[in-house]
Amino acid sequence: MGYDFMTPVQQKVLAELPTLSSDCLVQAKTGTGKTIAFLLPAIQNLLENKKPFGKGQVSILIIAPTRELAQQIQKECDQVTACMPTKLECHAFFGGNGRPAQLNRFLNGRPTIVVATPGRLNDVLGEERVRERFSNIQTLILDEADRMLDQGFAPDINKILKRLPRKSEGWQGMCFSATLPNQVQDVVKCVLFPGYTSLSTLDPNEVPTADKVPQYFTEYSNSSDQFAALYALLKAEAEEDPENFKAIVFGTTANGTALLFDLFQSLMPKYRKFELHSRMNQNARTKTTELFKNTATGILFASDVVGRGMDFPNVGHVIQFGLPSSAEQYVHRVGRTARAGKEGRAVLLVSKNESFFVHVNKSLPIQPYPSTYASNLKEFHPDVSQAFNNVDEVAKSKAYSAYLGYNKTYLKKLRLNAAGLVQMANEYARAMGCPEPPMLDKKLVGKMGLKGVPGLRIGNKEW
Ligand SMILES: Nc1ncnc2c1ncn2[C@@H]1O[C@H](COP(=O)(O)OP(=O)(O)OP(=O)(O)O)[C@@H](O)[C@H]1O
């Protein structure tokens, strides 16, 4: 694979695991080779393990939070096993279309290794003919373990564990992530034996983002400036090295991200624009993932569907637009740049209300943005207004309701009441060039708990 040296986490795992089949909880910085750090011991363990396994019996199961990450791990696994005398088949189960094809390939093949997202894995494990292929499991690996064990995924993980052989039958558990908040210790016991080995390449109070990634924050004072500020920031960042500018812009919601993609279709024409979020079909997501992995320049507008684990080579800039959902998610997003020892920069662009994020996360090494890019935002407004004329009202309307839904969950932290939230959302709509706030469906307003809040337009939504 062209690697000359082990990365610190690979060295630590291979040198410090008591045995290759020991249970472990491993933390290492983003972009430092954790995938190979878990593949190597698991595969070596399989080769040394004399326990015979039947036709197509799965020995290694890897669970990851997103479809794109599952596909990426499968590809890296194939690269690792390509040079082995015995061909080890690595199969993948992940959501979206393709269930029949995934199932047929699995049932007609000799899958020794499986990479899967929880939903689809749980779905196919519902079939006895699939379950029986997992009856000799040797190693279960949770990548992005803190995310896999949070309340979002825990129910699926628990259902999966009920459909696998009991932990007492002795399979190895391995949990890996760049972030392992304390509460992970309580929940790992469902996959790790007591007395598991804990390994970390970080010093106690070191931040798990890569070493060479200066992190900045900048805030706009008027909501009406937010899109002009993003435009000015991207232009300022691109000026550093225009011929090699490859950036990811994270939005807070899928529809908000889609809106940014639409907006930037007619801004910064030098750079090809990409989008990746859950409002796209799987084929489009898979195609865009490949395109952005291989492009030398461009701007990807992404939601958190690629916030963790995704390895896009040579991304030099990560911009986060709006409030990150947590400090961990902030760290993983920053980790999309400065990978494998390369350079990178990260900038958080927030409103005054959202800037609390920096002040309450003092352990994050975030400095004020060092440039006067925003000294004259007025000059950027005409381009932005012109660009918004080409964005359809439906996209704006979807972004508006997603904006309300997302920020509603952070009212307290934003120090807003419901009326303040609606006012902030209406300023967001105005900044998009909406003559008035988009119409909201009565049921949706009820679901959001915003019934009767002044400033909302209720009626049949325009789309
Ligand atoms: N020993 C090595 N030498 C050089 N590059 C490596 C080595 N091992 C892995 N890499 C490369 O480093 C990059 C990051 O690897 P990987 O995606 O496994 O990181 P990670 O630690 O899982 O990151 P994240 O925390 O974001 O999931 C990949 O491009 C991978 O091919």
Side-chain angles (χ1 to χ4, degrees):
M1 294 172 77
Y3 299 151
D4 303 322
F5 303 96
M6 288 186 192
T7 62
V9 66
Q10 291 160 6
Q11 193 274 339
K12 190 168 264 286
V13 166
L14 292 172
E16 297 183 25
L17 261 191
T19 75
L20 287 173
S21 52
S22 303
D23 279 24
C24 58
L25 176 62
V26 180
Q27 179 177 24
K29 293 182 181 176
T30 51
T32 58
K34 287 189 286 302
T35 309
I36 286 191
F38 62 67
L39 284 176
L40 283 185
I43 294 170
Q44 186 61 30
N45 188 17
L46 170 64
L47 297 178
E48 292 178 3
N49 190 332
K50 298 290 169 277
K51 197 167 91 179
F53 45 87
K55 173 181 175 309
Q57 282 295 304
V58 177
S59 286
I60 301 170
L61 171 59
I62 304 159
I63 309 180
T66 64
R67 309 166 180 179
E68 286 74 16
L69 185 51
Q71 290 174 285
Q72 177 179 291
I73 294 168
Q74 179 188 28
K75 205 164 182 177
E76 189 137 12
C77 183
D78 286 343
Q79 288 170 336
V80 170
T81 61
C83 48
M84 287 170 54
T86 42
K87 179 82 190 102
L88 291 183
E89 283 184 28
C90 181
H91 289 225
F93 282 121
F94 50 85
N97 49 16
R99 183 183 191 279
Q102 290 168 14
L103 204 50
N104 286 335
R105 182 164 178 265
F106 177 82
L107 293 171
N108 299 321
R110 298 177 63 86
T112 308
I113 304 168
V114 166
V115 193
T117 51
R120 178 57 56 84
L121 177 61
N122 194 37
D123 164 22
V124 295
L125 281 175
E127 301 193 27
E128 170 58 31
R129 57 183 180 156
V130 172
R131 232 178 2 259
E132 66 190 12
R133 298 283 193 99
F134 285 84
S135 49
N136 284 298
I137 203 87
Q138 166 204 291
T139 300
L140 170 63
I141 297 164
L142 296 187
D143 192 13
E144 309 299 341
D146 56 322
R147 177 78 180 96
M148 300 316 300
L149 293 166
D150 72 14
Q151 68 268 46
F153 277 116
D156 260 341
I157 297 294
N158 290 328
K159 281 186 216 147
I160 289 165
L161 290 172
K162 287 197 176 69
R163 291 171 156 167
L164 295 176
R166 285 189 309 282
K167 176 68 182 166
S168 54
E169 292 192 27
W171 47 259
Q172 171 189 27
M174 303 173 95
C175 293
F176 281 71
S177 181
T179 53
L180 291 176
N182 294 334
Q183 62 267 26
V184 170
Q185 322 289 340
D186 311 330
V187 289
V188 286
K189 50 182 175 296
C190 61
V191 291
L192 301 182
F193 282 121
Y196 59 81
T197 304
S198 262
L199 297 174
S200 173
T201 62
L202 280 74
D203 299 332
N205 47 18
E206 193 179 359
V207 181
T209 40
D211 299 328
K212 293 176 268 186
V213 54
Q215 299 169 41
Y216 305 102
F217 81 97
T218 173
E219 65 183 62
Y220 49 84
S221 30
N222 301 316
S223 286
S224 57
D225 287 337
Q226 61 188 288
F227 297 107
L230 178 59
Y231 178 37
L233 178 63
L234 278 168
K235 282 175 77 79
E237 289 292 300
E239 260 145 39
E240 301 275 322
D241 182 3
E243 299 318 310
N244 296 301
F245 184 61
K246 182 172 177 177
I248 300 179
V249 178
F250 282 104
T252 52
T253 66
N255 282 317
T257 300
L259 176 98
L260 294 177
F261 174 72
D262 292 348
L263 170 64
F264 276 82
Q265 287 309 299
S266 46
L267 296 173
M268 301 177 76
K270 179 182 173 63
Y271 300 105
R272 183 171 175 186
K273 313 301 184 311
F274 304 82
E275 63 175 335
L276 266 176
H277 51 77
S278 56
R279 290 279 173 280
M280 298 161 66
N281 69 47
Q282 190 51 43
N283 290 340
R285 283 171 48 171
T286 302
K287 184 161 164 280
T288 301
T289 299
E290 272 318 294
L291 284 173
F292 194 66
K293 273 178 180 268
N294 298 317
T295 188
T297 64
I299 304 173
L300 167 65
F301 294 92
S303 69
D304 276 333
V305 80
V306 293
R308 278 180 178 249
M310 291 309 292
D311 188 59
F312 296 109
N314 307 317
V315 167
H317 302 257
V318 164
I319 312 285
Q320 301 190 50
F321 183 57
L323 182 65
S325 57
S326 67
E328 286 78 19
Q329 208 50 30
Y330 166 88
V331 163
H332 282 279
R333 286 167 156 193
V334 170
R336 293 323 95 207
T337 186
R339 297 176 71 75
K342 297 203 177 77
E343 308 277 317
R345 278 165 65 87
V347 187
L348 175 65
L349 172 58
V350 287
S351 68
K352 274 206 173 317
N353 288 76
E354 295 162 336
S355 60
F356 75 87
F357 178 85
V358 179
H359 310 311
V360 302
N361 289 294
K362 294 221 178 311
S363 65
L364 297 175
I366 310 178
Q367 305 299 322
Y369 190 70
S371 131
T372 56
Y373 81 100
S375 53
N376 183 8
L377 283 184
K378 291 278 163 284
E379 70 184 60
F380 295 93
H381 274 275
D383 284 356
V384 170
S385 312
Q386 178 57 40
F388 264 124
N389 291 339
N390 305 327
V391 177
D392 73 36
E393 295 311 308
V394 172
K396 294 178 184 178
S397 187
K398 288 180 176 179
Y400 171 76
S401 61
Y403 182 96
L404 271 168
Y406 177 79
N407 288 295
K408 172 91 178 44
T409 45
Y410 299 99
L411 272 192
K412 254 186 31 242
K413 290 182 174 175
L414 290 164
R415 292 194 309 283
L416 285 173
N417 59 19
L421 169 69
V422 170
Q423 190 195 335
M424 193 171 89
N426 290 353
E427 287 164 4
Y428 173 73
R430 243 190 315 283
M432 286 191 279
C434 298
E436 53 186 354
M439 199 77 88
L440 284 174
D441 189 60
K442 197 164 173 228
K443 276 204 298 296
L444 177 67
V445 172
K447 256 188 347 196
M448 282 199 237
L450 293 174
K451 197 155 164 276
V453 178
L456 293 175
R457 288 177 63 232
I458 314 287
N460 298 326
K461 58 190 176 191
E462 284 117 348
W463 38 279

